[in-house]
PDB file of all heavy atoms in Angstrom:
ATOM      1  N   SER A   1     -87.736 -19.649 -27.884  1.00  0.00           N
ATOM      2  CA  SER A   1     -89.132 -19.765 -28.307  1.00  0.00           C
ATOM      3  C   SER A   1     -89.948 -20.476 -27.224  1.00  0.00           C
ATOM      4  O   SER A   1     -89.392 -21.116 -26.315  1.00  0.00           O
ATOM      5  CB  SER A   1     -89.221 -20.540 -29.626  1.00  0.00           C
ATOM      6  OG  SER A   1     -88.487 -19.892 -30.627  1.00  0.00           O
ATOM      7  N   ILE A   2     -91.275 -20.388 -27.346  1.00  0.00           N
ATOM      8  CA  ILE A   2     -92.164 -21.028 -26.358  1.00  0.00           C
ATOM      9  C   ILE A   2     -93.177 -21.888 -27.092  1.00  0.00           C
ATOM     10  O   ILE A   2     -93.491 -21.657 -28.267  1.00  0.00           O
ATOM     11  CB  ILE A   2     -92.884 -19.982 -25.476  1.00  0.00           C
ATOM     12  CG1 ILE A   2     -93.724 -19.040 -26.358  1.00  0.00           C
ATOM     13  CG2 ILE A   2     -91.880 -19.202 -24.646  1.00  0.00           C
ATOM     14  CD1 ILE A   2     -94.568 -18.058 -25.571  1.00  0.00           C
ATOM     15  N   ASP A   3     -93.673 -22.915 -26.401  1.00  0.00           N
ATOM     16  CA  ASP A   3     -94.782 -23.716 -26.888  1.00  0.00           C
ATOM     17  C   ASP A   3     -95.552 -24.208 -25.665  1.00  0.00           C
ATOM     18  O   ASP A   3     -95.319 -23.745 -24.532  1.00  0.00           O
ATOM     19  CB  ASP A   3     -94.290 -24.859 -27.775  1.00  0.00           C
ATOM     20  CG  ASP A   3     -93.333 -25.801 -27.022  1.00  0.00           C
ATOM     21  OD1 ASP A   3     -93.133 -25.612 -25.814  1.00  0.00           O
ATOM     22  OD2 ASP A   3     -92.783 -26.716 -27.680  1.00  0.00           O
ATOM     23  N   GLU A   4     -96.463 -25.158 -25.857  1.00  0.00           N
ATOM     24  CA  GLU A   4     -97.284 -25.628 -24.745  1.00  0.00           C
ATOM     25  C   GLU A   4     -96.438 -26.280 -23.667  1.00  0.00           C
ATOM     26  O   GLU A   4     -96.725 -26.145 -22.472  1.00  0.00           O
ATOM     27  CB  GLU A   4     -98.320 -26.631 -25.264  1.00  0.00           C
ATOM     28  CG  GLU A   4     -99.355 -26.002 -26.188  1.00  0.00           C
ATOM     29  CD  GLU A   4    -100.368 -27.015 -26.676  1.00  0.00           C
ATOM     30  OE1 GLU A   4    -100.221 -28.197 -26.325  1.00  0.00           O
ATOM     31  OE2 GLU A   4    -101.302 -26.624 -27.407  1.00  0.00           O
ATOM     32  N   SER A   5     -95.391 -26.991 -24.075  1.00  0.00           N
ATOM     33  CA  SER A   5     -94.544 -27.674 -23.088  1.00  0.00           C
ATOM     34  C   SER A   5     -93.570 -26.716 -22.406  1.00  0.00           C
ATOM     35  O   SER A   5     -93.078 -26.986 -21.313  1.00  0.00           O
ATOM     36  CB  SER A   5     -93.747 -28.797 -23.761  1.00  0.00           C
ATOM     37  OG  SER A   5     -94.630 -29.716 -24.365  1.00  0.00           O
ATOM     38  N   HIS A   6     -93.301 -25.620 -23.042  1.00  0.00           N
ATOM     39  CA  HIS A   6     -92.329 -24.649 -22.506  1.00  0.00           C
ATOM     40  C   HIS A   6     -92.923 -23.259 -22.630  1.00  0.00           C
ATOM     41  O   HIS A   6     -92.586 -22.506 -23.558  1.00  0.00           O
ATOM     42  CB  HIS A   6     -90.998 -24.734 -23.262  1.00  0.00           C
ATOM     43  CG  HIS A   6     -90.391 -26.108 -23.263  1.00  0.00           C
ATOM     44  ND1 HIS A   6     -90.755 -27.084 -24.182  1.00  0.00           N
ATOM     45  CD2 HIS A   6     -89.459 -26.672 -22.435  1.00  0.00           C
ATOM     46  CE1 HIS A   6     -90.060 -28.175 -23.947  1.00  0.00           C
ATOM     47  NE2 HIS A   6     -89.263 -27.962 -22.879  1.00  0.00           N
ATOM     48  N   PRO A   7     -93.807 -22.907 -21.732  1.00  0.00           N
ATOM     49  CA  PRO A   7     -94.494 -21.599 -21.821  1.00  0.00           C
ATOM     50  C   PRO A   7     -93.556 -20.427 -21.536  1.00  0.00           C
ATOM     51  O   PRO A   7     -93.894 -19.291 -21.864  1.00  0.00           O
ATOM     52  CB  PRO A   7     -95.594 -21.708 -20.764  1.00  0.00           C
ATOM     53  CG  PRO A   7     -95.091 -22.748 -19.807  1.00  0.00           C
ATOM     54  CD  PRO A   7     -94.297 -23.713 -20.592  1.00  0.00           C
ATOM     55  N   VAL A   8     -92.421 -20.723 -20.940  1.00  0.00           N
ATOM     56  CA  VAL A   8     -91.469 -19.641 -20.638  1.00  0.00           C
ATOM     57  C   VAL A   8     -90.129 -20.022 -21.252  1.00  0.00           C
ATOM     58  O   VAL A   8     -89.617 -21.123 -21.042  1.00  0.00           O
ATOM     59  CB  VAL A   8     -91.310 -19.430 -19.115  1.00  0.00           C
ATOM     60  CG1 VAL A   8     -90.287 -18.327 -18.841  1.00  0.00           C
ATOM     61  CG2 VAL A   8     -92.656 -19.085 -18.489  1.00  0.00           C
ATOM     62  N   ALA A   9     -89.552 -19.091 -22.028  1.00  0.00           N
ATOM     63  CA  ALA A   9     -88.250 -19.347 -22.659  1.00  0.00           C
ATOM     64  C   ALA A   9     -87.151 -19.375 -21.610  1.00  0.00           C
ATOM     65  O   ALA A   9     -87.119 -18.530 -20.711  1.00  0.00           O
ATOM     66  CB  ALA A   9     -87.959 -18.274 -23.705  1.00  0.00           C
ATOM     67  N   THR A  10     -86.243 -20.354 -21.720  1.00  0.00           N
ATOM     68  CA  THR A  10     -85.152 -20.496 -20.742  1.00  0.00           C
ATOM     69  C   THR A  10     -83.911 -19.700 -21.129  1.00  0.00           C
ATOM     70  O   THR A  10     -83.040 -19.468 -20.298  1.00  0.00           O
ATOM     71  CB  THR A  10     -84.765 -21.975 -20.616  1.00  0.00           C
ATOM     72  OG1 THR A  10     -84.239 -22.429 -21.871  1.00  0.00           O
ATOM     73  CG2 THR A  10     -85.966 -22.823 -20.238  1.00  0.00           C
ATOM     74  N   ASN A  11     -83.812 -19.332 -22.428  1.00  0.00           N
ATOM     75  CA  ASN A  11     -82.642 -18.594 -22.945  1.00  0.00           C
ATOM     76  C   ASN A  11     -81.342 -19.354 -22.731  1.00  0.00           C
ATOM     77  O   ASN A  11     -80.266 -18.754 -22.580  1.00  0.00           O
ATOM     78  CB  ASN A  11     -82.547 -17.198 -22.327  1.00  0.00           C
ATOM     79  CG  ASN A  11     -83.640 -16.278 -22.837  1.00  0.00           C
ATOM     80  OD1 ASN A  11     -83.915 -16.254 -24.044  1.00  0.00           O
ATOM     81  ND2 ASN A  11     -84.277 -15.558 -21.932  1.00  0.00           N
ATOM     82  N   LYS A  12     -81.429 -20.666 -22.705  1.00  0.00           N
ATOM     83  CA  LYS A  12     -80.218 -21.471 -22.577  1.00  0.00           C
ATOM     84  C   LYS A  12     -79.716 -21.887 -23.959  1.00  0.00           C
ATOM     85  O   LYS A  12     -80.478 -22.007 -24.910  1.00  0.00           O
ATOM     86  CB  LYS A  12     -80.503 -22.726 -21.733  1.00  0.00           C
ATOM     87  CG  LYS A  12     -80.806 -22.438 -20.281  1.00  0.00           C
ATOM     88  CD  LYS A  12     -81.063 -23.740 -19.522  1.00  0.00           C
ATOM     89  CE  LYS A  12     -81.382 -23.468 -18.045  1.00  0.00           C
ATOM     90  NZ  LYS A  12     -81.641 -24.746 -17.316  1.00  0.00           N
ATOM     91  N   PHE A  13     -78.433 -22.151 -24.027  1.00  0.00           N
ATOM     92  CA  PHE A  13     -77.827 -22.624 -25.274  1.00  0.00           C
ATOM     93  C   PHE A  13     -78.215 -24.081 -25.508  1.00  0.00           C
ATOM     94  O   PHE A  13     -78.082 -24.919 -24.628  1.00  0.00           O
ATOM     95  CB  PHE A  13     -76.302 -22.495 -25.224  1.00  0.00           C
ATOM     96  CG  PHE A  13     -75.612 -23.046 -26.439  1.00  0.00           C
ATOM     97  CD1 PHE A  13     -75.795 -22.452 -27.697  1.00  0.00           C
ATOM     98  CD2 PHE A  13     -74.786 -24.151 -26.355  1.00  0.00           C
ATOM     99  CE1 PHE A  13     -75.153 -22.949 -28.821  1.00  0.00           C
ATOM    100  CE2 PHE A  13     -74.150 -24.661 -27.478  1.00  0.00           C
ATOM    101  CZ  PHE A  13     -74.331 -24.055 -28.712  1.00  0.00           C
ATOM    102  N   SER A  14     -78.710 -24.375 -26.741  1.00  0.00           N
ATOM    103  CA  SER A  14     -79.211 -25.708 -27.045  1.00  0.00           C
ATOM    104  C   SER A  14     -78.285 -26.485 -27.984  1.00  0.00           C
ATOM    105  O   SER A  14     -78.150 -27.689 -27.860  1.00  0.00           O
ATOM    106  CB  SER A  14     -80.602 -25.617 -27.681  1.00  0.00           C
ATOM    107  OG  SER A  14     -81.096 -26.902 -27.964  1.00  0.00           O
ATOM    108  N   GLY A  15     -77.669 -25.795 -28.933  1.00  0.00           N
ATOM    109  CA  GLY A  15     -76.795 -26.501 -29.880  1.00  0.00           C
ATOM    110  C   GLY A  15     -76.566 -25.665 -31.123  1.00  0.00           C
ATOM    111  O   GLY A  15     -76.645 -24.437 -31.093  1.00  0.00           O
ATOM    112  N   ALA A  16     -76.298 -26.336 -32.252  1.00  0.00           N
ATOM    113  CA  ALA A  16     -76.004 -25.646 -33.513  1.00  0.00           C
ATOM    114  C   ALA A  16     -76.660 -26.391 -34.664  1.00  0.00           C
ATOM    115  O   ALA A  16     -76.702 -27.613 -34.693  1.00  0.00           O
ATOM    116  CB  ALA A  16     -74.496 -25.549 -33.742  1.00  0.00           C
ATOM    117  N   LEU A  17     -77.206 -25.611 -35.614  1.00  0.00           N
ATOM    118  CA  LEU A  17     -77.789 -26.160 -36.833  1.00  0.00           C
ATOM    119  C   LEU A  17     -76.803 -25.975 -37.986  1.00  0.00           C
ATOM    120  O   LEU A  17     -76.199 -24.903 -38.131  1.00  0.00           O
ATOM    121  CB  LEU A  17     -79.097 -25.456 -37.176  1.00  0.00           C
ATOM    122  CG  LEU A  17     -80.382 -26.071 -36.626  1.00  0.00           C
ATOM    123  CD1 LEU A  17     -81.555 -25.172 -36.947  1.00  0.00           C
ATOM    124  CD2 LEU A  17     -80.611 -27.472 -37.188  1.00  0.00           C
ATOM    125  N   VAL A  18     -76.680 -27.013 -38.842  1.00  0.00           N
ATOM    126  CA  VAL A  18     -75.715 -26.963 -39.947  1.00  0.00           C
ATOM    127  C   VAL A  18     -76.415 -27.379 -41.236  1.00  0.00           C
ATOM    128  O   VAL A  18     -77.043 -28.440 -41.285  1.00  0.00           O
ATOM    129  CB  VAL A  18     -74.510 -27.900 -39.692  1.00  0.00           C
ATOM    130  CG1 VAL A  18     -73.496 -27.775 -40.837  1.00  0.00           C
ATOM    131  CG2 VAL A  18     -73.855 -27.571 -38.362  1.00  0.00           C
ATOM    132  N   PHE A  19     -76.330 -26.501 -42.254  1.00  0.00           N
ATOM    133  CA  PHE A  19     -76.758 -26.849 -43.614  1.00  0.00           C
ATOM    134  C   PHE A  19     -75.514 -27.204 -44.415  1.00  0.00           C
ATOM    135  O   PHE A  19     -74.576 -26.399 -44.492  1.00  0.00           O
ATOM    136  CB  PHE A  19     -77.451 -25.668 -44.301  1.00  0.00           C
ATOM    137  CG  PHE A  19     -78.913 -25.532 -43.966  1.00  0.00           C
ATOM    138  CD1 PHE A  19     -79.487 -26.257 -42.931  1.00  0.00           C
ATOM    139  CD2 PHE A  19     -79.723 -24.659 -44.692  1.00  0.00           C
ATOM    140  CE1 PHE A  19     -80.828 -26.116 -42.628  1.00  0.00           C
ATOM    141  CE2 PHE A  19     -81.058 -24.507 -44.392  1.00  0.00           C
ATOM    142  CZ  PHE A  19     -81.617 -25.233 -43.351  1.00  0.00           C
ATOM    143  N   THR A  20     -75.490 -28.393 -44.999  1.00  0.00           N
ATOM    144  CA  THR A  20     -74.410 -28.746 -45.932  1.00  0.00           C
ATOM    145  C   THR A  20     -74.916 -28.447 -47.344  1.00  0.00           C
ATOM    146  O   THR A  20     -75.865 -29.073 -47.813  1.00  0.00           O
ATOM    147  CB  THR A  20     -74.030 -30.226 -45.813  1.00  0.00           C
ATOM    148  OG1 THR A  20     -73.586 -30.475 -44.468  1.00  0.00           O
ATOM    149  CG2 THR A  20     -72.905 -30.579 -46.783  1.00  0.00           C
ATOM    150  N   VAL A  21     -74.284 -27.468 -48.014  1.00  0.00           N
ATOM    151  CA  VAL A  21     -74.786 -26.939 -49.285  1.00  0.00           C
ATOM    152  C   VAL A  21     -73.878 -27.389 -50.432  1.00  0.00           C
ATOM    153  O   VAL A  21     -72.659 -27.232 -50.366  1.00  0.00           O
ATOM    154  CB  VAL A  21     -74.859 -25.398 -49.250  1.00  0.00           C
ATOM    155  CG1 VAL A  21     -75.434 -24.869 -50.561  1.00  0.00           C
ATOM    156  CG2 VAL A  21     -75.700 -24.942 -48.065  1.00  0.00           C
ATOM    157  N   ASP A  22     -74.495 -27.933 -51.481  1.00  0.00           N
ATOM    158  CA  ASP A  22     -73.779 -28.261 -52.726  1.00  0.00           C
ATOM    159  C   ASP A  22     -73.620 -26.961 -53.517  1.00  0.00           C
ATOM    160  O   ASP A  22     -74.525 -26.524 -54.232  1.00  0.00           O
ATOM    161  CB  ASP A  22     -74.582 -29.291 -53.514  1.00  0.00           C
ATOM    162  CG  ASP A  22     -73.869 -29.715 -54.794  1.00  0.00           C
ATOM    163  OD1 ASP A  22     -72.911 -29.048 -55.197  1.00  0.00           O
ATOM    164  OD2 ASP A  22     -74.298 -30.710 -55.391  1.00  0.00           O
ATOM    165  N   VAL A  23     -72.453 -26.324 -53.400  1.00  0.00           N
ATOM    166  CA  VAL A  23     -72.211 -25.028 -54.047  1.00  0.00           C
ATOM    167  C   VAL A  23     -72.268 -25.166 -55.566  1.00  0.00           C
ATOM    168  O   VAL A  23     -72.756 -24.276 -56.259  1.00  0.00           O
ATOM    169  CB  VAL A  23     -70.853 -24.449 -53.600  1.00  0.00           C
ATOM    170  CG1 VAL A  23     -70.572 -23.137 -54.312  1.00  0.00           C
ATOM    171  CG2 VAL A  23     -70.838 -24.256 -52.098  1.00  0.00           C
ATOM    172  N   THR A  24     -71.783 -26.289 -56.080  1.00  0.00           N
ATOM    173  CA  THR A  24     -71.803 -26.496 -57.538  1.00  0.00           C
ATOM    174  C   THR A  24     -73.231 -26.437 -58.066  1.00  0.00           C
ATOM    175  O   THR A  24     -73.508 -25.767 -59.061  1.00  0.00           O
ATOM    176  CB  THR A  24     -71.173 -27.856 -57.885  1.00  0.00           C
ATOM    177  OG1 THR A  24     -69.852 -27.913 -57.347  1.00  0.00           O
ATOM    178  CG2 THR A  24     -71.115 -28.046 -59.398  1.00  0.00           C
ATOM    179  N   HIS A  25     -74.147 -27.112 -57.377  1.00  0.00           N
ATOM    180  CA  HIS A  25     -75.548 -27.082 -57.806  1.00  0.00           C
ATOM    181  C   HIS A  25     -76.135 -25.691 -57.633  1.00  0.00           C
ATOM    182  O   HIS A  25     -76.829 -25.182 -58.518  1.00  0.00           O
ATOM    183  CB  HIS A  25     -76.343 -28.107 -56.982  1.00  0.00           C
ATOM    184  CG  HIS A  25     -77.818 -28.046 -57.237  1.00  0.00           C
ATOM    185  ND1 HIS A  25     -78.407 -28.663 -58.316  1.00  0.00           N
ATOM    186  CD2 HIS A  25     -78.819 -27.409 -56.545  1.00  0.00           C
ATOM    187  CE1 HIS A  25     -79.714 -28.425 -58.286  1.00  0.00           C
ATOM    188  NE2 HIS A  25     -79.985 -27.679 -57.233  1.00  0.00           N
ATOM    189  N   LEU A  26     -75.844 -25.058 -56.497  1.00  0.00           N
ATOM    190  CA  LEU A  26     -76.389 -23.742 -56.193  1.00  0.00           C
ATOM    191  C   LEU A  26     -76.014 -22.723 -57.263  1.00  0.00           C
ATOM    192  O   LEU A  26     -76.853 -21.929 -57.709  1.00  0.00           O
ATOM    193  CB  LEU A  26     -75.863 -23.284 -54.819  1.00  0.00           C
ATOM    194  CG  LEU A  26     -76.268 -21.878 -54.373  1.00  0.00           C
ATOM    195  CD1 LEU A  26     -77.734 -21.830 -54.033  1.00  0.00           C
ATOM    196  CD2 LEU A  26     -75.429 -21.437 -53.178  1.00  0.00           C
ATOM    197  N   VAL A  27     -74.755 -22.758 -57.706  1.00  0.00           N
ATOM    198  CA  VAL A  27     -74.266 -21.761 -58.662  1.00  0.00           C
ATOM    199  C   VAL A  27     -74.614 -22.139 -60.087  1.00  0.00           C
ATOM    200  O   VAL A  27     -75.055 -21.304 -60.877  1.00  0.00           O
ATOM    201  CB  VAL A  27     -72.734 -21.583 -58.495  1.00  0.00           C
ATOM    202  CG1 VAL A  27     -72.187 -20.669 -59.584  1.00  0.00           C
ATOM    203  CG2 VAL A  27     -72.410 -21.026 -57.121  1.00  0.00           C
ATOM    204  N   SER A  28     -74.431 -23.432 -60.441  1.00  0.00           N
ATOM    205  CA  SER A  28     -74.582 -23.833 -61.840  1.00  0.00           C
ATOM    206  C   SER A  28     -76.021 -23.731 -62.322  1.00  0.00           C
ATOM    207  O   SER A  28     -76.262 -23.516 -63.508  1.00  0.00           O
ATOM    208  CB  SER A  28     -74.069 -25.264 -62.035  1.00  0.00           C
ATOM    209  OG  SER A  28     -74.848 -26.181 -61.279  1.00  0.00           O
ATOM    210  N   LYS A  29     -76.999 -23.890 -61.431  1.00  0.00           N
ATOM    211  CA  LYS A  29     -78.385 -23.809 -61.892  1.00  0.00           C
ATOM    212  C   LYS A  29     -78.742 -22.412 -62.399  1.00  0.00           C
ATOM    213  O   LYS A  29     -79.712 -22.240 -63.134  1.00  0.00           O
ATOM    214  CB  LYS A  29     -79.348 -24.244 -60.780  1.00  0.00           C
ATOM    215  CG  LYS A  29     -79.498 -23.295 -59.607  1.00  0.00           C
ATOM    216  CD  LYS A  29     -80.361 -23.904 -58.524  1.00  0.00           C
ATOM    217  CE  LYS A  29     -80.579 -22.970 -57.332  1.00  0.00           C
ATOM    218  NZ  LYS A  29     -81.445 -21.844 -57.659  1.00  0.00           N
ATOM    219  N   VAL A  30     -77.918 -21.423 -62.020  1.00  0.00           N
ATOM    220  CA  VAL A  30     -78.090 -20.065 -62.546  1.00  0.00           C
ATOM    221  C   VAL A  30     -77.072 -19.795 -63.642  1.00  0.00           C
ATOM    222  O   VAL A  30     -77.409 -19.388 -64.754  1.00  0.00           O
ATOM    223  CB  VAL A  30     -77.940 -19.016 -61.422  1.00  0.00           C
ATOM    224  CG1 VAL A  30     -78.018 -17.605 -62.002  1.00  0.00           C
ATOM    225  CG2 VAL A  30     -79.011 -19.210 -60.369  1.00  0.00           C
ATOM    226  N   ALA A  31     -75.775 -20.037 -63.362  1.00  0.00           N
ATOM    227  CA  ALA A  31     -74.703 -19.660 -64.290  1.00  0.00           C
ATOM    228  C   ALA A  31     -74.761 -20.447 -65.588  1.00  0.00           C
ATOM    229  O   ALA A  31     -74.417 -19.920 -66.647  1.00  0.00           O
ATOM    230  CB  ALA A  31     -73.343 -19.855 -63.616  1.00  0.00           C
ATOM    231  N   ALA A  32     -75.176 -21.719 -65.532  1.00  0.00           N
ATOM    232  CA  ALA A  32     -75.177 -22.544 -66.745  1.00  0.00           C
ATOM    233  C   ALA A  32     -76.178 -22.040 -67.776  1.00  0.00           C
ATOM    234  O   ALA A  32     -76.055 -22.344 -68.959  1.00  0.00           O
ATOM    235  CB  ALA A  32     -75.485 -23.997 -66.377  1.00  0.00           C
ATOM    236  N   LYS A  33     -77.180 -21.279 -67.324  1.00  0.00           N
ATOM    237  CA  LYS A  33     -78.200 -20.780 -68.240  1.00  0.00           C
ATOM    238  C   LYS A  33     -77.817 -19.450 -68.878  1.00  0.00           C
ATOM    239  O   LYS A  33     -78.529 -18.967 -69.755  1.00  0.00           O
ATOM    240  CB  LYS A  33     -79.531 -20.629 -67.500  1.00  0.00           C
ATOM    241  CG  LYS A  33     -80.082 -21.945 -66.959  1.00  0.00           C
ATOM    242  CD  LYS A  33     -81.367 -21.707 -66.182  1.00  0.00           C
ATOM    243  CE  LYS A  33     -81.920 -23.013 -65.593  1.00  0.00           C
ATOM    244  NZ  LYS A  33     -83.137 -22.788 -64.800  1.00  0.00           N
ATOM    245  N   ILE A  34     -76.726 -18.845 -68.448  1.00  0.00           N
ATOM    246  CA  ILE A  34     -76.321 -17.539 -68.975  1.00  0.00           C
ATOM    247  C   ILE A  34     -75.692 -17.731 -70.349  1.00  0.00           C
ATOM    248  O   ILE A  34     -74.776 -18.512 -70.520  1.00  0.00           O
ATOM    249  CB  ILE A  34     -75.322 -16.845 -68.026  1.00  0.00           C
ATOM    250  CG1 ILE A  34     -75.982 -16.596 -66.652  1.00  0.00           C
ATOM    251  CG2 ILE A  34     -74.837 -15.539 -68.632  1.00  0.00           C
ATOM    252  CD1 ILE A  34     -77.179 -15.688 -66.694  1.00  0.00           C
ATOM    253  N   MET A  35     -76.178 -17.007 -71.326  1.00  0.00           N
ATOM    254  CA  MET A  35     -75.628 -17.053 -72.684  1.00  0.00           C
ATOM    255  C   MET A  35     -75.479 -15.622 -73.187  1.00  0.00           C
ATOM    256  O   MET A  35     -76.466 -14.904 -73.350  1.00  0.00           O
ATOM    257  CB  MET A  35     -76.547 -17.849 -73.610  1.00  0.00           C
ATOM    258  CG  MET A  35     -76.108 -17.853 -75.055  1.00  0.00           C
ATOM    259  SD  MET A  35     -74.626 -18.832 -75.342  1.00  0.00           S
ATOM    260  CE  MET A  35     -75.345 -20.471 -75.319  1.00  0.00           C
ATOM    261  N   SER A  36     -74.246 -15.215 -73.426  1.00  0.00           N
ATOM    262  CA  SER A  36     -73.973 -13.876 -73.930  1.00  0.00           C
ATOM    263  C   SER A  36     -73.694 -13.968 -75.416  1.00  0.00           C
ATOM    264  O   SER A  36     -72.750 -14.643 -75.830  1.00  0.00           O
ATOM    265  CB  SER A  36     -72.772 -13.268 -73.208  1.00  0.00           C
ATOM    266  OG  SER A  36     -72.456 -12.001 -73.754  1.00  0.00           O
ATOM    267  N   GLY A  37     -74.507 -13.307 -76.232  1.00  0.00           N
ATOM    268  CA  GLY A  37     -74.341 -13.426 -77.668  1.00  0.00           C
ATOM    269  C   GLY A  37     -74.660 -14.840 -78.105  1.00  0.00           C
ATOM    270  O   GLY A  37     -75.593 -15.477 -77.635  1.00  0.00           O
ATOM    271  N   LYS A  38     -73.831 -15.379 -79.008  1.00  0.00           N
ATOM    272  CA  LYS A  38     -74.049 -16.728 -79.519  1.00  0.00           C
ATOM    273  C   LYS A  38     -73.268 -17.771 -78.739  1.00  0.00           C
ATOM    274  O   LYS A  38     -73.701 -18.914 -78.625  1.00  0.00           O
ATOM    275  CB  LYS A  38     -73.664 -16.795 -81.004  1.00  0.00           C
ATOM    276  CG  LYS A  38     -74.546 -15.952 -81.903  1.00  0.00           C
ATOM    277  CD  LYS A  38     -74.109 -16.086 -83.360  1.00  0.00           C
ATOM    278  CE  LYS A  38     -74.989 -15.253 -84.278  1.00  0.00           C
ATOM    279  NZ  LYS A  38     -74.553 -15.360 -85.690  1.00  0.00           N
ATOM    280  N   THR A  39     -72.079 -17.394 -78.202  1.00  0.00           N
ATOM    281  CA  THR A  39     -71.216 -18.404 -77.586  1.00  0.00           C
ATOM    282  C   THR A  39     -70.712 -18.009 -76.204  1.00  0.00           C
ATOM    283  O   THR A  39     -69.972 -18.763 -75.584  1.00  0.00           O
ATOM    284  CB  THR A  39     -70.003 -18.686 -78.483  1.00  0.00           C
ATOM    285  OG1 THR A  39     -69.230 -17.476 -78.628  1.00  0.00           O
ATOM    286  CG2 THR A  39     -70.435 -19.159 -79.859  1.00  0.00           C
ATOM    287  N   GLY A  40     -71.063 -16.813 -75.717  1.00  0.00           N
ATOM    288  CA  GLY A  40     -70.559 -16.362 -74.420  1.00  0.00           C
ATOM    289  C   GLY A  40     -71.143 -17.163 -73.268  1.00  0.00           C
ATOM    290  O   GLY A  40     -72.216 -17.775 -73.385  1.00  0.00           O
ATOM    291  N   TYR A  41     -70.460 -17.166 -72.126  1.00  0.00           N
ATOM    292  CA  TYR A  41     -70.901 -17.932 -70.969  1.00  0.00           C
ATOM    293  C   TYR A  41     -70.447 -17.230 -69.689  1.00  0.00           C
ATOM    294  O   TYR A  41     -69.776 -16.195 -69.725  1.00  0.00           O
ATOM    295  CB  TYR A  41     -70.352 -19.358 -71.016  1.00  0.00           C
ATOM    296  CG  TYR A  41     -68.850 -19.448 -71.132  1.00  0.00           C
ATOM    297  CD1 TYR A  41     -68.017 -19.313 -70.012  1.00  0.00           C
ATOM    298  CD2 TYR A  41     -68.251 -19.667 -72.360  1.00  0.00           C
ATOM    299  CE1 TYR A  41     -66.638 -19.394 -70.118  1.00  0.00           C
ATOM    300  CE2 TYR A  41     -66.869 -19.743 -72.482  1.00  0.00           C
ATOM    301  CZ  TYR A  41     -66.068 -19.605 -71.342  1.00  0.00           C
ATOM    302  OH  TYR A  41     -64.704 -19.676 -71.440  1.00  0.00           O
ATOM    303  N   ALA A  42     -70.820 -17.795 -68.544  1.00  0.00           N
ATOM    304  CA  ALA A  42     -70.489 -17.207 -67.243  1.00  0.00           C
ATOM    305  C   ALA A  42     -69.584 -18.146 -66.464  1.00  0.00           C
ATOM    306  O   ALA A  42     -69.602 -19.360 -66.675  1.00  0.00           O
ATOM    307  CB  ALA A  42     -71.762 -16.934 -66.450  1.00  0.00           C
ATOM    308  N   TRP A  43     -68.746 -17.565 -65.581  1.00  0.00           N
ATOM    309  CA  TRP A  43     -67.992 -18.356 -64.599  1.00  0.00           C
ATOM    310  C   TRP A  43     -67.986 -17.629 -63.273  1.00  0.00           C
ATOM    311  O   TRP A  43     -68.159 -16.411 -63.212  1.00  0.00           O
ATOM    312  CB  TRP A  43     -66.583 -18.704 -65.076  1.00  0.00           C
ATOM    313  CG  TRP A  43     -65.753 -17.600 -65.659  1.00  0.00           C
ATOM    314  CD1 TRP A  43     -65.605 -17.287 -66.962  1.00  0.00           C
ATOM    315  CD2 TRP A  43     -64.908 -16.664 -64.946  1.00  0.00           C
ATOM    316  NE1 TRP A  43     -64.743 -16.241 -67.140  1.00  0.00           N
ATOM    317  CE2 TRP A  43     -64.294 -15.844 -65.914  1.00  0.00           C
ATOM    318  CE3 TRP A  43     -64.615 -16.447 -63.601  1.00  0.00           C
ATOM    319  CZ2 TRP A  43     -63.412 -14.808 -65.581  1.00  0.00           C
ATOM    320  CZ3 TRP A  43     -63.732 -15.424 -63.262  1.00  0.00           C
ATOM    321  CH2 TRP A  43     -63.144 -14.617 -64.240  1.00  0.00           C
ATOM    322  N   VAL A  44     -67.831 -18.400 -62.178  1.00  0.00           N
ATOM    323  CA  VAL A  44     -67.973 -17.866 -60.821  1.00  0.00           C
ATOM    324  C   VAL A  44     -66.764 -18.279 -59.994  1.00  0.00           C
ATOM    325  O   VAL A  44     -66.302 -19.423 -60.084  1.00  0.00           O
ATOM    326  CB  VAL A  44     -69.269 -18.386 -60.155  1.00  0.00           C
ATOM    327  CG1 VAL A  44     -69.433 -17.774 -58.765  1.00  0.00           C
ATOM    328  CG2 VAL A  44     -70.478 -18.084 -61.033  1.00  0.00           C
ATOM    329  N   ILE A  45     -66.231 -17.327 -59.193  1.00  0.00           N
ATOM    330  CA  ILE A  45     -65.157 -17.643 -58.258  1.00  0.00           C
ATOM    331  C   ILE A  45     -65.587 -17.216 -56.859  1.00  0.00           C
ATOM    332  O   ILE A  45     -66.433 -16.328 -56.689  1.00  0.00           O
ATOM    333  CB  ILE A  45     -63.831 -16.941 -58.632  1.00  0.00           C
ATOM    334  CG1 ILE A  45     -64.019 -15.416 -58.656  1.00  0.00           C
ATOM    335  CG2 ILE A  45     -63.306 -17.434 -59.959  1.00  0.00           C
ATOM    336  CD1 ILE A  45     -62.727 -14.647 -58.891  1.00  0.00           C
TER     337      ILE A  45
END
């Protein structure tokens, strides 16, 4: 990318970005709301 300080892209390797994701929160906020019939539920593997 370019900006005022770097008007020309160097195409050099800079590093790595890492997202640490809480999978339990990511999945449960959807799966916990699933209700099939009166007592059915969802599970994820």
Side-chain angles (χ1 to χ4, degrees):
S1 301
I2 59 175
D3 60 5
E4 293 180 358
S5 302
H6 304 84
V8 178
T10 64
N11 289 316
K12 293 181 180 180
F13 176 65
S14 181
L17 268 174
V18 182
F19 276 12
T20 300
V21 182
D22 182 346
V23 178
T24 304
H25 173 82
L26 176 71
V27 174
S28 63
K29 71 186 182 71
V30 176
K33 298 177 182 178
I34 298 298
M35 175 71 78
S36 176
K38 295 181 180 179
T39 62
Y41 56 81
W43 47 264
V44 182
I45 59 175

